[in-house]
Amino acid sequence: QVQLVESGGGLVQAGESLRLSCAASGSIRSINTMNWYRQAPEKQRELVATITSSGTTNYTDAVKGRFTISRDNAKNTVYLQMNSLKPEDTAVYYCNVNFITRLFRSGSAWGQGTQVTVSS
């Protein structure tokens, strides 16, 4: 069983910053890709940023240059630093982790979601 706990969401004004965190715990042998998704009201969930086990990152075009994904492998934690926030960044943000368990089984887990609201 693997659990993810997210933190760091909130209400900010346009132009401000937030940092999201997502910590994984449980029967984890290794973690492969770590991802951040978001879902705005009445929209589909979209992939925002990805970081591989080697540290390679990718971002959706809408956040390039403003958001930075990083990870702390010792803590099994992924972060999303969000700068220059815009009202269109308002969404529930979810972390997603792909892992290998101590029994060598692959799996994927989702965080509970954290609300980010950006006012204009």
Side-chain angles (χ1 to χ4, degrees), residues 11-43:
L11 171 63
V12 296
Q13 294 188 335
E16 295 184 341
S17 299
L18 280 174
R19 189 191 195 208
L20 306 183
S21 300
C22 173
S25 62
S27 180
I28 299 171
R29 175 172 296 275
S30 63
I31 294 178
N32 299 322
T33 57
M34 307 179 87
N35 310 296
W36 285 100
Y37 287 77
R38 67 185 179 185
Q39 188 166 17
E42 300 182 0
K43 291 190 176 180

Side-chain angles (χ1 to χ4, degrees), residues 5-99:
V5 177
E6 298 182 33
S7 61
L11 171 63
V12 296
Q13 294 188 335
E16 295 184 341
S17 299
L18 280 174
R19 189 191 195 208
L20 306 183
S21 300
C22 173
S25 62
S27 180
I28 299 171
R29 175 172 296 275
S30 63
I31 294 178
N32 299 322
T33 57
M34 307 179 87
N35 310 296
W36 285 100
Y37 287 77
R38 67 185 179 185
Q39 188 166 17
E42 300 182 0
K43 291 190 176 180
Q44 289 189 334
R45 189 173 296 189
E46 65 168 341
L47 178 61
V48 175
T50 296
I51 185 165
T52 67
S53 57
S54 61
T56 300
T57 60
N58 278 292
Y59 302 91
T60 189
D61 287 346
V63 308
K64 283 181 180 177
R66 300 187 297 120
F67 290 12
T68 302
I69 188 171
S70 61
R71 61 191 284 170
D72 184 333
N73 292 328
K75 297 181 179 179
N76 287 340
T77 299
V78 61
Y79 305 96
L80 186 67
Q81 178 67 42
M82 305 184 293
N83 298 329
S84 302
L85 282 161
K86 303 176 180 180
E88 51 264 44
D89 295 318
T90 295
V92 178
Y93 284 71
Y94 299 89
C95 63
N96 166 249
V97 170
N98 299 297
F99 55 85

